[in-house]
Amino acid sequence: MDEPTPPDAAEEPEQQPLAHVWIIAAEIKVEERIAKVADFRGSFTTDVGTRVDALEVYCRNCRRPYEDVAENDCEALIDNRHLIGGDQSQRAKRKVPEPPPAARLLPGGVIQRRGIGSYISGVSRPAR
């Protein structure tokens, strides 16, 4: 029996865990028909020579701007706490605002969330 040969090292790019993966948030002016296709499919093809305005350049992994971390290693695998607002055990809890002294809480009406009544009343579809 022949054993399968391992793929060449040249075919698979080396994974550098501390390397940034740069992406660009872009703005492209398109016609209405292309916008309709892009909205439906989630992608579209541009013409050759289309100029693309870069709104922001940042790392996909650590979500930091290019100019801030271009010379540094990517810290997404090392410490990703900046994406969730810091250490969760040390963050202060959200404060619930107190109502003014003269305020009263009034019970609201019953909202029909299931069945034909909810559809007719507009709960499951936006009002026009």
Side-chain angles (χ1 to χ4, degrees):
M1 287 191 207
D2 293 333
E3 294 182 16
T5 58
D8 294 334
E11 291 178 10
E12 293 182 19
E14 279 188 31
Q15 291 286 356
Q16 295 179 352
L18 300 179
H20 290 283
V21 178
W22 299 114
I23 58 176
I24 298 174
E27 186 173 272
I28 303 171
K29 188 175 183 179
V30 295
E31 298 172 6
E32 186 175 350
R33 66 179 179 81
I34 295 175
K36 185 176 181 180
V37 169
D39 182 52
F40 178 74
R41 292 189 177 160
S43 65
F44 67 98
T45 305
T46 61
D47 297 329
V48 175
T50 300
R51 181 169 179 85
V52 179
D53 296 328
L55 301 177
E56 185 179 9
V57 179
Y58 58 96
C59 175
R60 171 180 276 166
N61 297 331
C62 68
R63 298 285 191 197
R64 291 190 172 162
Y66 178 83
E67 63 269 4
D68 292 349
V69 295
E71 291 82 26
N72 304 332
D73 290 336
C74 183
E75 296 178 356
L77 295 178
I78 299 169
D79 183 11
N80 215 7
R81 280 185 265 165
H82 66 279
L83 294 177
I84 58 172
D87 188 5
Q88 300 294 308
S89 64
Q90 296 176 357
R91 278 187 11 188
K93 299 294 180 192
R94 291 191 174 129
K95 296 177 184 174
V96 178
E98 290 187 27
R104 292 185 307 158
L105 291 177
L106 300 175
V110 177
I111 299 173
Q112 180 62 273
R113 296 183 189 271
R114 302 187 198 290
I116 192 70
S118 66
Y119 182 77
I120 293 171
S121 66
V123 172
S124 62
R125 61 186 170 88
R128 291 186 186 226

